[in-house]
Every structure is written in C-alpha cells, then in structure tokens.
Amino acid sequence: MVKKKKIGQLLKEKGLVTEKHISVAIAQQKVTGTFLGETLVDLGFVSSKEICQCLAEQAGLPYIDLREYPVQEEALRMIPKDVADRGEFIPIEIRDGQMVIGIIDPSNIIAMDTVSRIIRRPPIVYMVDKEAFYDTIEKAYFFLENPIQKRIEETVNRLKQNVSTADISALTDLIVMDAIRKNTTDIHITPAEDTVHVFNRIDGILQHNFCFPKSAHAGVISKIKVMSSMDIAEQRLPQDGSFTYEFFGKQYDMRVSTIPTIYGENLVIRVLSGTGPLTRLEALGFDPEETKKLRILFNRPHGIILVTGPTGSGKTTTLYAALREVNLLEKNVLTVEDPVEYRLSLVKQSEVNLKAGYDFALAGRNFMRQDPDVMLLGEIRDSETAIIAVRASITGHLVLSTLHTNDAVTSIPRLFDLGVDSFLLSASLLAVIAQRLVRKICPECKESYQITEQEKELLGFFNVTDFPEELYRGRGCKICNDTGYLGRTAIGEIFIVDEEIKEMISKKEPTQVIRDRAIKKGMKTIMEDGLSKVRTGITTLEEVLRVTG
C-alpha cells in the first residue's frame, strides 16, 4: 500500500509553498490549534481551492469549482439536506442517470455508499474545496426549500392589491437574496411610467429579473435608504450610502447610489461579496509567455506597475495575484483599498475612510514611514496620489495601483494630465497591464459552427484576415442558464517600458507613436489576445467585440 503524502509535502512539490512558509504555519498552528492546511490558507500562502486540487490529483479524482458550476435542483431534491450534511457531500447534477456528487475528503466512502443506496447506481465523484462546499450547500438547500422566484411572484401579487410595510420589507430582502444567489455584481432598481424593473448585472451583462408595481417604488427605495443611512426625505438630489448584509455567516458590503429621474429615483446597489478565492498568475487567463513576463515584473525591487480597465474588469484580482508572487516573509507589504476585497494575513491592509479624511493620498504619504517594500494603492484618482506613487517608486519601493484608461499606453497621457513629470514617469514606470473580462463558453453545451459572412465582415473591419472557418459557441443549457457562457477569464495587453520607451515618455512623444513601437517590440493588444481565445474555443467573437469594440 502506497503511503499518502502529507499536505505540506504535496504543496511543496507543486511549488506552492516553501519550507519557510511551512515553518511559519507550524508556529501559528501551535497557537491556534488548527490543521496545517487551514493555517496555510489563513496565512494566504495557498487557497482552499489549491489544496483541494492537490488532494484530488493525489487521489486520482477530478476537481470541480462549485463557484462556477450551478447545482441542479433535481439532484438536491433526491438527497435530503441532513443526509448530505452527515455524508459530507453535495449532490451537483444528474448525468445520464447517474448522480454527480462533490466531496471534500477523497476517502469519503460513506458518501459513495449513501448515494449508491438511494439512486441504485454508483455516483460520479468530484473533489470540491471546503470553502466553496460549505458556502454552496447551505445556499443551495435554502433556496430549494424557499423558492425565491415563487416568493417574489407572491409578494408582487400582494403588492398589486395592497402596499403594506411587511411586503415592502419582504420584497427588498428578496431582491438582495436573489442577487446573492445569482452571483450578481450590481442590482438596478429602475422606475418606468407604470412599473419598476429590477435588473441584475451577472458576468458583466445586465439581465432583466422582474417587475413590481409603481405604487411600491417609494417604499422599496425608502427601505434601502434607511438601511444605507441616507436621507429618505431628499429625492431631488443624488445620494450615496452603504450597508452590510449578512447571509449564512458571510457578510456582503452593499454600496448604494440613487439619482433622480423623470419617473422617480433610480437606485443601484453594488454587491461586494468580500473575500473570494485567491488566484495565482497562471489562473488569470494570460498565455504562458505573458505570465512569465508578469512574474518577472512583479519581482522587480522598485518602480510602478499599473493595472487598467473599466470597473469590474478584474483589476483587483490581478493585483492580488501579483502580491502572491511577493515573498511576504521577507518583504513588508502595505495596501489601501476601497474596500478591502481579499484578506491576506501577512499584508498590512487598510481601507479608505473619506468621512475621517483617510484617502489614497494620505495613506500613500504615511506608508512611507512604515518601512515598506511593496505598496498597493487601490486606485490613482487624483494628482496627489499619482505624484506620491511616482515618488515612492523612485525612492526604492515597488508600487502597484490601478487607473481607469481604455488601453495600456493611454495611461501615459492620463498620468501627465494628473501632473506627473515626464522625466520622473519615464524613470519610474515599469509596465501597464490593460485588461477586460470575457465570458467563457459553457463546456456542457459547447458546439462548433461555420463562421458567418457578418462575422467575416466584422473581422475585416479590424483588419483580421487569417481566421479559421470553424468557430465555437455555447448552445445554451440548464448549467449555464441558457446563456451559452459559464465563468469568465481575462484578456489583456502588457505594455512593458524598456529603455527606448522610457526615452519616448521623457520626450512626451505622441501616444500612437509609443503604441506602435510597443507593438513592434512584441506587445499583443487586448483585441489580439481576445481573438486568440476565440481561435482556441475559450470564448466567442461576439463576446470579445462586446468588451473591446
């Protein structure tokens, strides 16, 4: 019988941790008494997902990410929650008469026996990580027992007859719970002439959810305003606020914004789900060559690296993947964010507090007194923050930040606009990564098709000629909610500032001239990166044009 390797040894062989990481984890373990794997996750050295993938590989089982794989109600109905809890497994779907289950312990024979007894056939078994398992199983059974769409319909029907405080409160709760269930990033409550529409932004796309009577509009808005500490009497001016929503032990930070419209107040809630799974550079979506470049860049001792793109394009995820490349046992890392989205034990993280006067600029100035090696400034929004970032990088620190520009090279004129000196910028800027998130084709309903004449015309418009006749798309199925897409990946361009480009920046040469030079030196544009993912069947041409066009 082959002796199973310990988790620490497995992770070391994979290059995910070093002996130093393990010794620090053991030191903490002596104080907390938790398992080594959990301690390594708590310290941010590895993620729960990475540990599970190692265990799955050792056990010869496939791994599935429950965060990107919807659980089917049909499977849940066949296994009572108490049975799934006791057996420590989650029913995922019925596939060709067999039940697909997720387990967190590769040696869980009880789960396999239990399912075999109930279904009369052995299950198809996948490994799932603990974090996703406990989060998904609670939510999945809760929504099975409390069918949210049905409850919304019942509440809306009651509101048609009579607007009551209880129903207003219930509808507000249901709007938020439904958004959490669907992994929504933004909830839009949009008034029209006779009704109010609720939209959810999911995977970057607005999706219509349902309507409710106009008579309930003022009540729902007032309820959310009270929760967000906003002025319910003020309806003529825009307002901002926030509240925290707790759901199954997880806290969601809700950022609320209202504006007056001709049909009443329009309200948008940004849903910030707190700590997500930490990602490594390899998992971001860049090709292996680009990932190598990123690894070299993030290990530089000083300079500025910027990540640009619109809101919701994965900039923070990329920055934290970068921080995982930094040796946190040897380097002092400080961050200021709005808000903190990922938590890392050995990183000194702080949050912007505008009411107290604590912003990115003030944090940047004071970080210099904290003996930093690496500074992460959540965003360069103003002249002061930009100048502080440049000065910090010139005095021997690595500075990571984000900027809102359409592509990588446009960051240069943007920083000039913010008052950064051209010579100092040329001396400090190491690289700019511009990125977008595109939806991935659903693997369950992926199919090939012949490229259309319209698509050929579109490609011709972008001067693309060498394209295959056969492309891929998602047909639409239960797994992807008939969208044809499941999960997202990054596409991007990496603009590296070498000696020649430094000289061009110093002389304030035109943006187009600098871009052309960078492309000649091998920079792959966002569009080119996206089209390469279309060729390999990761995403669709329509999706790439949606985010880049």
Side-chain angles (χ1 to χ4, degrees), residues 284-467:
L284 291 175
F286 296 105
D287 67 42
E289 279 306 307
E290 303 285 88
T291 302
K292 275 182 199 171
K293 289 178 191 175
L294 289 176
R295 182 160 283 117
I296 293 163
L297 286 167
F298 290 128
N299 278 294
R300 294 283 289 273
H302 53 81
I304 296 179
I305 300 173
L306 296 173
V307 183
T308 76
T311 302
S313 58
K315 297 187 295 293
T316 306
T317 302
T318 298
L319 286 176
Y320 268 87
L323 286 187
R324 296 191 74 190
E325 295 299 313
V326 174
N327 187 340
L328 299 177
L329 300 179
E330 293 179 1
K331 290 187 177 180
N332 183 24
V333 180
L334 295 111
T335 81
V336 57
E337 300 160 75
D338 183 23
V340 170
E341 290 184 40
Y342 298 89
R343 297 178 191 276
L344 279 172
S345 280
L346 297 178
V347 174
K348 293 80 182 172
Q349 296 171 281
S350 64
E351 220 163 53
V352 164
N353 186 339
L354 296 178
K355 285 180 183 173
Y358 185 64
D359 59 9
F360 291 117
L362 182 64
R365 280 200 306 274
N366 285 278
F367 280 0
M368 298 300 286
R369 302 186 192 112
Q370 287 277 317
D371 182 31
D373 292 296
V374 181
M375 291 162 53
L376 189 156
L377 305 177
E379 189 183 334
I380 293 177
R381 291 178 181 170
D382 52 45
S383 174
E384 195 181 356
T385 312
I387 291 163
I388 286 165
V390 169
R391 284 180 183 160
S393 67
I394 285 169
T395 52
H397 308 95
L398 182 65
V399 179
L400 310 176
S401 193
T402 69
L403 201 62
H404 287 283
T405 59
N406 288 330
D407 60 30
V409 182
T410 314
S411 301
I412 295 166
R414 175 74 183 120
L415 290 166
F416 288 158
D417 288 343
L418 290 171
V420 177
D421 177 79
S422 60
F423 173 74
L424 293 180
L425 182 60
S426 69
S428 60
L429 190 63
L430 292 176
V432 184
I433 302 151
Q435 66 179 60
R436 302 285 188 279
L437 289 179
V438 291
R439 294 178 293 169
K440 294 188 289 187
I441 297 170
C442 172
E444 291 298 311
C445 60
K446 184 175 179 178
E447 63 178 14
S448 61
Y449 73 99
Q450 290 299 112
I451 190 167
T452 65
E453 286 304 315
Q454 189 183 2
E455 285 172 328
K456 283 179 183 176
E457 278 178 34
L458 275 171
L459 289 165
F461 179 77
F462 291 102
N463 297 317
V464 179
T465 52
D466 58 329
F467 224 70

Side-chain angles (χ1 to χ4, degrees), residues 134-135 138-143 246-252:
Y134 289 115
D135 189 37
E138 290 301 326
K139 281 201 283 192
Y141 277 105
F142 173 81
F143 288 121
E246 191 164 327
F247 193 64
F248 285 113
K250 190 172 179 180
Q251 290 199 332
Y252 296 82

Side-chain angles (χ1 to χ4, degrees), residues 186-190 197-201 206 266-269:
D186 299 85
I187 307 165
H188 290 245
I189 299 173
T190 305
H197 297 269
V198 178
F199 290 86
N200 291 343
R201 188 175 292 280
L206 269 185
N266 189 78
L267 186 142
V268 175
I269 304 172

Side-chain angles (χ1 to χ4, degrees), residues 113-335:
D113 288 346
T114 304
V115 175
S116 298
R117 196 170 61 249
I118 295 170
I119 308 298
R120 309 276 181 198
R121 286 185 74 181
I124 299 165
V125 182
Y126 285 89
M127 283 285 288
V128 297
D129 62 277
K130 273 188 181 181
E131 219 171 78
F133 174 81
Y134 289 115
D135 189 37
T136 307
I137 195 168
E138 290 301 326
K139 281 201 283 192
Y141 277 105
F142 173 81
F143 288 121
L144 180 72
E145 291 156 17
N146 302 275
I148 206 152
Q149 218 58 45
K150 189 183 173 191
R151 286 175 66 191
I152 287 171
E153 284 169 21
E154 288 169 354
T155 309
V156 167
N157 285 332
R158 287 197 301 271
L159 285 167
K160 284 182 197 170
Q161 312 300 320
N162 175 48
V163 177
S164 70
T165 309
D167 283 333
I168 290 286
S169 188
L171 183 64
T172 307
D173 256 355
L174 289 167
I175 288 170
V176 176
M177 281 195 289
D178 192 37
I180 291 170
R181 176 176 77 103
K182 292 175 175 172
N183 295 321
T184 298
T185 54
D186 299 85
I187 307 165
H188 290 245
I189 299 173
T190 305
E193 194 170 357
D194 303 312
T195 58
V196 181
H197 297 269
V198 178
F199 290 86
N200 291 343
R201 188 175 292 280
I202 301 164
D203 283 345
I205 300 286
L206 269 185
Q207 296 181 19
H208 186 266
N209 195 358
F210 67 94
C211 296
F212 64 87
K214 189 70 180 280
S215 54
H217 177 239
V220 170
I221 299 295
S222 294
K223 167 75 176 169
I224 296 169
K225 279 184 171 182
V226 168
M227 291 161 72
S228 313
S229 305
M230 291 156 76
D231 183 356
I232 59 168
E234 182 55 78
Q235 296 173 15
R236 301 161 302 167
L237 294 170
Q239 290 190 67
D240 290 310
S242 65
F243 66 94
T244 302
Y245 193 87
E246 191 164 327
F247 193 64
F248 285 113
K250 190 172 179 180
Q251 290 199 332
Y252 296 82
D253 190 13
M254 305 287 180
R255 301 292 174 95
V256 183
S257 169
T258 66
I259 59 162
T261 74
I262 56 170
Y263 296 123
E265 286 185 283
N266 189 78
L267 186 142
V268 175
I269 304 172
R270 164 61 57 89
V271 182
L272 298 164
S273 57
T275 307
L278 287 164
T279 307
R280 290 193 184 267
L281 286 178
E282 294 86 350
L284 291 175
F286 296 105
D287 67 42
E289 279 306 307
E290 303 285 88
T291 302
K292 275 182 199 171
K293 289 178 191 175
L294 289 176
R295 182 160 283 117
I296 293 163
L297 286 167
F298 290 128
N299 278 294
R300 294 283 289 273
H302 53 81
I304 296 179
I305 300 173
L306 296 173
V307 183
T308 76
T311 302
S313 58
K315 297 187 295 293
T316 306
T317 302
T318 298
L319 286 176
Y320 268 87
L323 286 187
R324 296 191 74 190
E325 295 299 313
V326 174
N327 187 340
L328 299 177
L329 300 179
E330 293 179 1
K331 290 187 177 180
N332 183 24
V333 180
L334 295 111
T335 81

Side-chain angles (χ1 to χ4, degrees), residues 35 38 48 52 63-67 71 76 81 84-91 102-105 108 127-143 247-250 252:
F35 291 113
E38 287 173 30
S48 174
C52 185
Y63 167 82
I64 199 169
D65 190 348
L66 286 176
R67 299 170 192 86
V71 172
L76 291 169
K81 184 176 185 295
D85 277 338
R86 274 200 312 272
E88 287 198 317
F89 70 92
I90 181 167
I103 58 174
I104 52 178
D105 178 0
N108 187 350
M127 283 285 288
V128 297
D129 62 277
K130 273 188 181 181
E131 219 171 78
F133 174 81
Y134 289 115
D135 189 37
T136 307
I137 195 168
E138 290 301 326
K139 281 201 283 192
Y141 277 105
F142 173 81
F143 288 121
F247 193 64
F248 285 113
K250 190 172 179 180
Y252 296 82

